[in-house]
Amino acid sequence: MKHAFTQILTYAKKLIPFFFSALLLVLLLKQLALYPWMTSIFQSMMPVFGGVLIALFLQPFIDKLEKYVSAKIAVFIVYTFIIVSLILFVICLIPLLYHQMVDFMEVLPNWVEKVEQFLEKYHIVYGNMEDFKNKYVQEGYVVVIDSLKTTMNTFTDYGIAFFTAFFLSLDLDYWKRSAKKLFTDYQRYSNFYHTMSNIVYQYLVGTILDLFFIMISVGITLYFFDFPNAFLYAIILAFLNLFPYVGATLGLILIAIVAALSYPVFPWLAFAIVWSIQQLESNIIQPLIFNHTMNVRPILSFVFIFIGEALFGVIGVILSPIFASIAQIAIRSYLHAKTSDRVGEWDDIWQDFDEAMKQEEKEGRMERKSL
């Protein structure tokens, strides 16, 4: 395992000249006025890159189905299920968003008045809010129209990415045969792929179950307390909980702000129940689902926010915790494949990695003592 860490560090050092070269290339393209042209080409290729990612994420489910049906039928079943699920999700989400927009337009004057009263009460200087109150309706419609245009363009890109992924999945056997010819150490890479496939499958299924637990439990709780658009905020809270360290806190703050602006008296009981559900999910439900707490490295979470936004926009930011988690799974699966000849399971990669980290820390302490 230590040898594997040494190899990763060696590869990282080799990448440093590459990054400097890429930076110099970008500066050169800007000087030659070719940068916008290259950027437009890159943006046009983004649906293809997105298709590759979608194919990789869905392949574990296809692999599971191939035990019962042929590969092509498994591909059709998985992609049809995804399409139907997305359609149903959008059909259910559109009414929620519509009601949220209508309610927002109705309560916004009341919210603005409450903010003014708060500012006046504590003698906080603020600008003229009368212009805001007079223009928010007109500017709100402009924002909605621009958002609809952006949404249509985004759906077009996602549609291209989805069909690209579909055809990549259909031709996976061809890519496997090509890999056998190109890589002499094919079996090692095959073990790495199948290990990661097993782990990604378990992680995605566990994440979906975790999301549904938050959505249903919080949604029912907020609905019981007549919270406005309860299930919409339950969905938002569930996705925010994916972000480590800050997501759960941001979700509670959002719920608290909406509650403070919507109720004459703050609903402390509802807030306490939602907080209790979050604690139950993070300390009991999630470890029970995964059988091992998954601590994603903060640097991966931070980096994949930008990568997710570049690839998929706002949805990429929402899904960035999943991308970061799968990247960490890929690293650990690779380390397992480097030190084992068999396909690993969930406990294998976590125990291997944790043992290696403990060994590294122990050796580091011994070196410091010797000095």
Side-chain angles (χ1 to χ4, degrees):
M1 186 62 72
K2 184 177 181 180
H3 177 66
F5 278 111
T6 304
Q7 281 189 320
I8 292 176
L9 291 175
T10 303
Y11 294 148
K13 291 177 181 178
K14 290 181 179 179
L15 286 174
I16 293 176
F18 169 77
F19 284 121
F20 276 108
S21 300
L23 179 61
L24 291 175
L25 178 62
V26 170
L27 294 175
L28 179 62
L29 290 174
K30 284 191 173 184
Q31 290 298 320
L32 297 176
L34 296 175
Y35 185 75
W37 177 69
M38 294 292 294
T39 302
S40 62
I41 292 177
F42 177 77
Q43 290 175 347
S44 65
M45 293 296 294
M46 290 307 295
V48 178
F49 299 147
V52 174
L53 285 176
I54 293 173
L56 288 174
F57 291 157
L58 295 183
Q59 192 58 43
F61 298 93
I62 297 171
D63 291 338
K64 295 293 181 181
L65 279 177
E66 283 185 19
K67 297 178 181 179
Y68 311 101
V69 296
S70 65
K72 289 187 177 180
I73 293 177
V75 171
F76 277 101
I77 291 175
V78 169
Y79 279 85
T80 302
F81 176 79
I82 294 298
I83 290 177
V84 172
S85 300
L86 288 174
I87 291 173
L88 292 176
F89 179 74
V90 170
I91 290 174
C92 296
L93 188 62
I94 286 177
L96 293 176
L97 291 174
Y98 173 77
H99 288 301
Q100 175 61 46
M101 291 176 62
V102 172
D103 292 344
F104 180 76
M105 300 297 288
E106 290 178 353
V107 302
L108 186 58
N110 184 37
W111 286 3
V112 172
E113 183 178 350
K114 287 186 176 181
V115 172
E116 284 183 321
Q117 292 175 355
F118 176 82
L119 296 175
E120 291 176 356
K121 179 179 179 180
Y122 294 98
H123 305 289
I124 300 174
V125 179
Y126 60 93
N128 186 12
M129 298 187 69
E130 195 65 33
D131 293 338
F132 173 76
K133 289 188 288 187
N134 293 334
K135 294 181 180 179
Y136 78 88
V137 175
Q138 179 181 356
E139 294 180 354
Y141 284 119
V142 174
V143 171
V144 170
I145 293 173
D146 291 340
S147 299
L148 288 175
K149 291 180 180 178
T150 304
T151 302
M152 291 301 297
N153 293 332
T154 302
F155 276 128
T156 301
D157 291 340
Y158 290 164
I160 296 172
F162 189 81
F163 282 106
T164 301
F166 174 73
F167 290 113
L168 286 173
S169 297
L170 282 178
D171 290 335
L172 185 63
D173 288 337
Y174 166 77
W175 298 113
K176 287 181 178 179
R177 291 194 301 269
S178 300
K180 285 184 179 179
K181 298 176 181 179
L182 292 173
F183 301 105
T184 56
D185 199 10
Y186 171 78
Q187 189 58 44
R188 184 73 69 186
Y189 289 105
S190 177
N191 288 343
F192 163 56
Y193 164 74
H194 286 292
T195 297
M196 193 178 75
S197 178
N198 287 340
I199 309 308
V200 168
Y201 173 81
Q202 182 176 345
Y203 171 73
L204 291 178
V205 171
T207 299
I208 292 170
L209 291 175
D210 200 40
L211 285 174
F212 272 107
F213 170 77
I214 292 291
M215 290 179 188
I216 294 173
S217 59
V218 173
I220 292 175
T221 300
L222 295 179
Y223 181 79
F224 179 78
F225 285 93
D226 293 326
F227 198 89
N229 298 295
F231 287 100
L232 177 61
Y233 285 101
I235 293 172
I236 295 173
L237 184 66
F239 278 103
L240 284 174
N241 271 23
L242 291 173
F243 287 85
Y245 306 106
V246 298
T249 303
L250 290 176
L252 277 177
I253 292 173
L254 175 64
I255 296 294
I257 292 174
V258 175
L261 295 172
S262 302
Y263 290 84
V265 179
F266 189 83
W268 289 105
L269 180 58
F271 186 79
I273 293 175
V274 171
W275 179 83
S276 301
I277 291 173
Q278 283 189 322
Q279 298 303 310
L280 177 66
E281 180 269 338
S282 60
N283 295 305
I284 298 177
I285 302 297
Q286 191 182 80
L288 183 65
I289 291 174
F290 291 111
N291 198 28
H292 196 294
T293 304
M294 181 153 174
N295 297 315
V296 181
R297 303 299 176 191
I299 185 64
L300 283 177
S301 301
F302 180 74
V303 168
F304 273 88
I305 288 176
F306 296 98
I307 295 177
E309 195 278 333
L311 291 175
F312 301 106
V314 175
I315 294 180
V317 174
I318 295 173
L319 297 178
S320 63
I322 295 179
F323 296 155
S325 301
I326 292 176
Q328 183 162 297
I329 285 172
I331 295 172
R332 295 189 170 198
S333 299
Y334 175 76
L335 294 177
H336 175 84
K338 292 289 289 183
T339 57
S340 176
D341 292 329
R342 66 182 181 83
V343 176
E345 299 293 338
W346 179 268
D347 289 337
D348 296 328
I349 65 166
W350 292 93
Q351 290 174 1
D352 288 352
F353 190 86
D354 292 339
E355 289 172 3
M357 292 297 293
K358 290 178 181 177
Q359 184 64 27
E360 291 288 326
E361 293 176 0
K362 183 178 179 181
E363 292 177 358
R365 287 195 298 267
M366 292 177 63
E367 289 179 0
R368 286 192 294 270
K369 287 181 179 178
S370 62
L371 294 175

